[in-house]
Amino acid sequence: MCWGVPARVISIDSDVTATVDFLSGTLKKVVIGVDDLKVGDFVIVHAGVIISKITKEDVIENINFIAEQIRETALMTGEDADKAVKEFLNMAMKILGE
Amino acid sequence: MDFSLLPKQIEAVFRENSLLAKSILSQIYQITPLAMQKLKRERIKIMNFCGSHEWTTTHYGLRYMIPKEIELIPGPGCPVCVTPSSDIENIIKLAMEGFRIYTFGDVFKLPTVKHYKKDEVGSLAVAKSMNADVQIVYSFIDAVDDAKHNKKPSIFMGIGFETTAPSYAILFERNKVPENLLFYSSLRLTAPAAEYAIKLHKDKGSIPISGVIAPGHVSTIIGAMSWDFLPKEYKIPAVVTGFEPMDVIASILKILQMIYTENISYTELEYKRVATREGNKYAQNAINKVFVVTDAIWRGIGLIPKSGLALQEKYSKYDAKEQLGIKDVPWDYDLPPNCKCAEVTLGMAYPTDCPMFMKACTPAKPWGPCMVSMEGACSVWARFGSVQKVLNIMDEVR
Ligand code: SF4
């Protein structure tokens, strides 16, 4: 029951509820659990409540965190850190269309 | 960019990405011996505190991809597994007495130790088969809508961790709950149980836990900083982690780095696309306004101080225990005979150590609570733990 499911906000229906699309055409009434929710926002829904919004910027931050780990380990183990990070970032940004 | 692409892109980066998996795994293999030297141990034990992480780990066969010296152990991260038998027994009794009961599907099959009336009713599923009014709902809001409509005396079985608590708290705070719907709180808090498990591993003289994969969605609510006691007080690296395979292996890599550099001062946050250090203030406010922290019983384990949530007094007209005079009773061992759920939940045993595993206890017919929910370690291992499946995935990645 702790699954977080990605969804997109279709409409804001009251001060506490919104309708989301679970990206499969399945619509569901859920509780708004975040500030400043807007139609079109991409969110994580858990047990019927929106617990978080997701933006592309946050995804890039997440990717940068992994890149940083790749760099740090490469430095520790004497690998070519720049090369390792560049390869990963190129691939990730290509997927993101950046 | 078409915004609807984002979820697919997240999957492409964090799930279906054998190149990245190879790169992170090769770094894990390089740094593991260095971390072992630093710890002066032959094994490195890393615990997860979320059933969904156990799912990712087992489903994608991550245990078979990382060095054998790293032991990934499941922790107390499944609310269904730790809901006391007495709570389910109370709810079954109320169902048999005529209340409409709303519950999540996971709780439906949960077996109790004591049965209602002469060995007959040992789960809500059996109660329903005997004409009790048990409704499976997806969320609290669905129960609220239904109860408003039908006006029947009803009770919601409120289980869950901090992630589920806002779904209740927000509706109570905004006065959206009808008075014919009572709430039976079995809410539990993860951090006190995590600390309990960490201490147990230390005290029992087994290999202590050297790293923690901290729960991504619980931390979305309470904030990554809630786990700072692990690095600060116990010098244990903790990384708040997302639920895709790349998230989990990237966090393992981070934990190994922290062990090696001994730079263990605060909780790291890998799951940056969803969680933050401070957490979700909107949800936290609602929880603080509606609930109060209480001591609570964990199934098979007993009382853990300050590890539960109960409705505050101003919401007592909704409190099922209060309104129906249900007294909290001291904990009595509440697992079925031979079930090792307590050890499994605390990371002291693997599901396969239990003599009942896939014999008398299967997902179709669970004997103990860890076999019921998709987040219970036994259920995850039963469904996805077969070595052959894991080896196939491994071959694909290599
Ligand atoms: S296999 Fe079944 S009986 Fe054994 S620990 Fe798991 S849930 Fe309990």
Side-chain angles (χ1 to χ4, degrees):
Chain A
M1 55 165 297
C2 279
W3 301 106
V5 185
R8 193 179 187 182
V9 179
I10 297 297
S11 61
I12 295 180
D13 308 328
S14 76
D15 56 335
V16 288
T17 56
T19 301
V20 297
D21 177 353
F22 283 118
L23 310 170
S24 56
T26 312
L27 300 186
K28 189 82 199 147
K29 178 179 175 182
V30 295
V31 171
I32 299 170
V34 293
D35 279 320
D36 299 327
L37 191 71
K38 291 182 197 67
V39 170
D41 280 350
F42 175 45
V43 294
I44 294 285
V45 176
H46 166 90
V49 62
I50 295 172
I51 57 166
S52 178
K53 293 189 269 192
I54 304 188
T55 63
K56 196 169 171 188
E57 290 69 42
D58 296 335
V59 175
I60 291 174
E61 263 201 55
N62 206 151
I63 287 170
N64 285 336
F65 176 90
I66 296 184
E68 205 37 53
Q69 305 333 309
I70 291 176
R71 176 188 303 283
E72 273 184 42
T73 318
L75 288 174
M76 284 170 202
T77 56
E79 276 176 278
D80 186 341
D82 285 341
K83 185 170 165 257
V85 169
K86 214 171 141 199
E87 271 173 15
F88 164 57
L89 282 180
N90 280 347
M91 175 260 294
M93 293 308 158
K94 206 168 136 199
I95 292 171
L96 284 185
E98 287 285 295
Chain B
M1 185 194 83
D2 177 0
F3 190 61
S4 63
L5 282 177
L6 196 57
K8 286 270 160 256
Q9 292 167 328
I10 290 175
E11 280 179 18
V13 176
F14 295 91
R15 188 183 302 172
E16 295 140 12
N17 194 339
S18 54
L19 269 181
L20 178 59
K22 256 186 186 167
S23 144
I24 298 176
L25 287 169
S26 96
Q27 291 200 319
I28 288 178
Y29 273 89
Q30 295 200 47
I31 200 169
T32 299
L34 305 177
M36 282 164 59
Q37 267 171 20
K38 195 59 102 187
L39 282 177
K40 299 194 181 66
R41 273 189 217 125
E42 291 186 352
R43 295 187 77 76
I44 300 178
K45 220 188 223 180
I46 297 176
M47 189 180 224
N48 67 50
F49 287 143
C50 179
S52 305
H53 281 141
E54 185 51 34
W55 188 93
T56 305
T57 300
T58 307
H59 183 258
Y60 292 104
L62 302 185
R63 285 193 178 85
Y64 295 86
M65 296 183 195
I66 58 174
K68 59 181 184 331
E69 292 82 6
I70 300 175
E71 201 180 336
L72 295 181
I73 51 172
C78 158
V80 178
C81 307
V82 298
T83 299
S85 183
S86 58
D87 281 356
I88 307 296
E89 289 157 20
N90 287 340
I91 289 290
I92 289 172
K93 182 166 176 282
L94 296 167
M96 298 306 285
E97 286 172 0
F99 282 93
R100 170 170 284 200
I101 303 295
Y102 298 103
T103 171
F104 293 122
D106 280 357
V107 183
F108 193 58
K109 275 199 199 168
L110 205 51
T112 58
V113 275
K114 290 186 193 137
H115 289 186
Y116 178 78
K117 283 196 181 158
K118 291 187 240 125
D119 274 339
E120 277 176 358
V121 190
S123 71
L124 282 166
V126 176
K128 190 174 172 86
S129 72
M130 297 177 76
N131 289 330
D133 186 357
V134 183
Q135 305 289 325
I136 295 176
V137 288
Y138 163 73
S139 64
F140 188 47
I141 181 93
D142 290 352
V144 164
D145 285 347
D146 188 74
K148 256 184 207 160
H149 179 72
N150 74 59
K151 302 199 167 47
K152 218 182 147 181
S154 312
I155 300 167
F156 188 90
M157 178 66 204
I159 78 156
F161 290 148
E162 293 93 329
T163 341
T164 316
S167 71
Y168 310 135
I170 292 165
L171 294 179
F172 278 116
E173 194 212 345
R174 301 291 180 95
N175 285 322
K176 305 288 181 191
V177 185
E179 293 198 5
N180 60 313
L181 178 59
L182 299 177
F183 184 80
Y184 190 108
S185 180
S186 289
L187 282 165
R188 295 290 177 270
L189 302 173
T190 45
E195 192 163 10
Y196 182 93
I198 296 281
K199 279 191 189 151
L200 194 76
H201 281 255
K202 227 170 134 195
D203 298 347
K204 285 261 173 178
S206 61
I207 304 169
I209 292 164
S210 301
V212 164
I213 294 172
H217 290 141
V218 162
S219 306
T220 301
I221 303 298
I222 63 176
M225 61 196 282
S226 304
W227 302 96
D228 280 350
F229 69 93
L230 291 168
K232 284 189 193 329
E233 284 168 41
Y234 294 90
K235 282 284 153 218
I236 295 175
V239 184
V240 169
T241 305
F243 297 96
E244 300 296 349
M246 299 310 134
D247 293 316
V248 174
I249 55 175
S251 288
I252 293 170
L253 181 61
K254 183 74 212 175
I255 288 168
L256 295 171
Q257 277 175 16
M258 288 163 89
I259 293 172
Y260 176 59
T261 59
E262 294 179 323
N263 186 2
I264 309 169
S265 45
Y266 60 91
T267 310
E268 290 284 344
L269 173 57
E270 184 276 335
Y271 198 30
K272 285 177 189 276
R273 62 187 185 274
V274 173
T276 59
R277 248 191 92 65
E278 293 74 29
N280 178 340
K281 294 280 177 208
Y282 183 92
Q284 287 172 17
N285 279 339
I287 294 170
N288 293 338
K289 279 185 191 158
V290 171
F291 291 109
V292 57
V293 176
T294 56
D295 296 346
I297 289 169
W298 292 59
R299 187 165 189 176
I301 297 170
L303 191 103
I304 302 183
K306 298 194 173 112
S307 67
L309 290 176
L311 283 173
Q312 287 182 16
E313 213 176 313
K314 66 178 169 209
Y315 295 99
S316 65
K317 69 175 177 194
Y318 293 107
D319 189 330
K321 288 186 204 165
E322 190 86 20
Q323 292 304 319
L324 304 172
I326 299 167
K327 298 260 173 300
D328 282 328
V329 284
W331 177 66
D332 202 4
Y333 186 76
D334 59 350
L335 287 173
N338 298 324
C339 171
K340 286 193 176 294
C341 245
E343 289 95 322
V344 171
T345 304
L346 292 166
M348 308 297 288
Y350 287 114
T352 41
D353 295 333
C354 174
M356 316 288 273
F357 183 73
M358 292 312 274
K359 293 185 182 101
C361 185
T362 63
K365 228 170 167 250
W367 175 251
C370 301
M371 191 56 95
V372 178
S373 163
M374 278 301 276
E375 287 152 286
C378 297
S379 156
V380 172
W381 280 48
R383 288 178 162 98
F384 305 111
S386 96
V387 173
Q388 197 46 54
K389 207 182 255 176
V390 163
L391 290 176
N392 290 345
I393 298 167
M394 215 174 123
D395 281 341
E396 269 175 43
V397 171
R398 285 195 172 142

